[in-house]
Amino acid sequence: MLNQILQPIQPQIGRFEERFKKTLESDVKLVQAMGDRIMETRGKILRPALSLLTAQAIGECSDRAIDAAIGIEIIHTATLIHDDVVDFADKRRGTEVLNLRWGNQAAVLMGDFLLARALQVLVGLDSMEVMRAATRAVGRMIEGEIQEIQGGVEAESAIYFSMIDKKTASLMALSCEVGAILGGGTPEQVAQMSTFGKEVGIAFQITDDLLDFTGDEESLGKPVGNDVRERKLTLPLIRALGNCQNGEAERIQAKVRSGIESDEELQEVFHFVERYKGIEEAREEAKTYATSGLKNLLVLTTSDARQALELAVRHVVDRDR
Ligand code: FPP
Ligand code: MG
């Protein structure tokens, strides 16, 4: 994450990193080996940043808020490990995924182990409010992921938005909700920060789906075109299909449905999406969600932490990885 975003919570990030590593420790060799690999391939820590900054912007970013951020980042890590099994992925963050190195069985069980550890950390906070929100978010993420695998090639934006709200936005909403609870927010502030996280989460996933068309493998750390290859219809393609009024749309959709077989076919789908304004429109929609999310920050008084949250939102839609 950009230094400027983390600046108001620099001491807390230091403690977060130390304790995150400790939380993954295990006396089972294979679990420790996979935990070490996870430590070597850390992500952007966007969710912990949102959580800690929210706590700080509302009141205080305490040790409890740090523990909550650890729980949330571990849940996130678990979901990506399971997602890589579900998606038959072989690369994430520039390196081979756990399922490729240790096989599906070990990877799935490691995801389960992480989920258990995360819940253990959250239980330690002794807050029913946090537990209720966390278990609800986990359930919704699983529903979203299942919705995605069964949704297949349905070119419907309503299904797409419901799915990304569940699989991605629910954890971002949780990050901000829990930050607000532990920062000592009023019920109104907690609700608004949850909405903030949800809208930023939707903007994040649309951007992720855009990067699958416009990004490059080097900066992304994973191959582009994966979604189309996996027969997933994400917003850029859904919008392009909707904008195309001739038979080409049916042909492209049939191609994606039956499975892309060559790089040429993939390029054809990419050009179609560009030509029928799928990229342009999806980018606009991501920005609209980001702007709508930002409005929720108005319940907070101005502070460095609030400014950093604003910057984080801009980063979510402007990033290249
Ligand atoms: C990445 O999406 C995946 C998610 C945002 C959610 C995954 C959720 C689960 C596997 C269910 C919950 C599991 C647990 C352990 C609670 P993507 O495939 O669009 O992104 P990618 O290109 O980065 O893989
Ligand atoms: Mg995936």
Side-chain angles (χ1 to χ4, degrees):
M1 190 50 50
L2 298 177
N3 280 341
Q4 226 181 327
I5 296 174
L6 300 179
Q7 210 276 329
I9 46 163
Q10 208 60 60
Q12 286 90 347
I13 288 290
R15 291 209 293 283
F16 166 87
E17 287 297 338
E18 245 168 64
R19 299 209 315 243
F20 182 84
K21 185 168 193 273
K22 278 213 171 70
T23 313
L24 299 191
E25 281 174 5
S26 164
D27 55 12
V28 175
K29 259 193 180 162
L30 180 53
V31 176
Q32 186 62 51
M34 290 191 279
D36 290 344
R37 169 57 73 92
I38 289 167
M39 284 309 299
E40 288 159 16
T41 57
R42 299 292 311 286
K44 300 184 283 280
I45 57 165
L46 172 63
R47 292 150 194 83
L50 291 176
S51 203
L52 297 173
L53 286 169
T54 300
Q56 177 98 319
I58 291 229
E60 185 204 4
C61 186
S62 62
D63 273 4
R64 297 180 81 222
I66 298 172
D67 278 344
I70 290 171
I72 287 165
E73 182 67 359
I74 295 178
I75 293 175
H76 173 57
T77 310
T79 64
L80 292 186
I81 293 172
H82 279 184
D83 179 68
D84 286 336
V85 174
V86 171
D87 285 349
F88 306 99
D90 47 30
K91 204 170 169 198
R92 179 180 294 279
R93 297 171 184 163
T95 74
E96 65 176 353
V97 291
L98 250 59
N99 44 308
L100 200 70
R101 171 87 171 75
W102 283 283
N104 283 349
Q105 288 174 313
V108 167
L109 292 169
M110 185 63 183
D112 294 341
F113 168 77
L114 291 176
L115 182 59
R117 274 283 157 94
L119 293 176
Q120 221 174 317
V121 173
L122 294 176
V123 164
L125 294 171
D126 214 7
S127 160
M128 275 310 283
E129 201 181 355
V130 168
M131 282 317 289
R132 206 172 288 123
T135 46
R136 176 172 181 268
V138 169
R140 295 187 77 233
M141 292 183 83
I142 299 170
E143 283 178 332
E145 187 82 348
I146 293 177
Q147 204 177 351
E148 178 159 51
I149 56 171
Q150 62 137 53
V153 288
E154 217 62 64
E156 259 207 53
S157 61
I159 297 175
Y160 170 83
F161 279 106
S162 146
M163 185 271 290
I164 67 168
D165 175 20
K166 290 192 171 86
K167 84 161 181 172
T168 305
S170 51
L171 193 60
M172 301 249 196
L174 179 74
S175 307
C176 299
E177 182 176 353
V178 164
I181 294 169
L182 298 175
T186 62
E188 191 210 4
Q189 286 173 325
V190 171
Q192 279 206 268
M193 290 312 292
S194 170
T195 306
F196 165 76
K198 171 185 151 146
E199 293 183 324
V200 175
I202 292 176
F204 178 93
Q205 188 59 47
I206 297 174
T207 307
D208 215 65
D209 295 338
L210 268 165
L211 286 170
D212 200 63
F213 288 95
T214 62
D216 68 274
E217 181 164 350
E218 178 105 40
S219 22
L220 273 181
K222 59 185 180 189
V224 290
N226 259 355
D227 291 338
V228 173
R229 278 200 203 90
E230 285 163 19
R231 308 169 196 215
K232 284 184 195 167
L233 263 75
T234 59
L235 196 61
L237 183 49
I238 292 173
R239 290 300 180 231
L241 288 168
N243 290 337
C244 173
Q245 296 305 322
N246 56 44
E248 210 182 341
E250 284 74 50
R251 195 176 57 78
I252 292 285
Q253 196 169 343
K255 201 182 270 283
V256 175
R257 182 176 288 154
S258 63
I260 294 292
E261 281 171 2
S262 64
D263 280 349
E264 288 70 42
E265 283 190 350
L266 184 67
Q267 287 309 318
E268 194 189 345
V269 178
F270 273 30
H271 287 140
F272 173 84
V273 170
E274 178 73 53
R275 203 151 28 98
Y276 287 98
K277 299 199 173 354
I279 304 291
E280 200 178 308
E281 288 186 15
R283 191 168 283 140
E284 273 314 304
E285 286 176 77
K287 285 199 177 133
T288 303
Y289 274 98
T291 306
S292 170
L294 282 171
K295 291 198 184 116
N296 295 286
L297 295 182
L298 299 176
V299 290
L300 310 175
T301 48
T302 29
S303 65
D304 287 353
R306 186 179 119 175
Q307 276 179 1
L309 283 170
E310 289 163 6
L311 200 59
V313 176
R314 260 172 247 127
H315 174 70
V316 157
V317 284
D318 286 338
R319 72 206 158 97
D320 64 356
R321 70 182 189 101

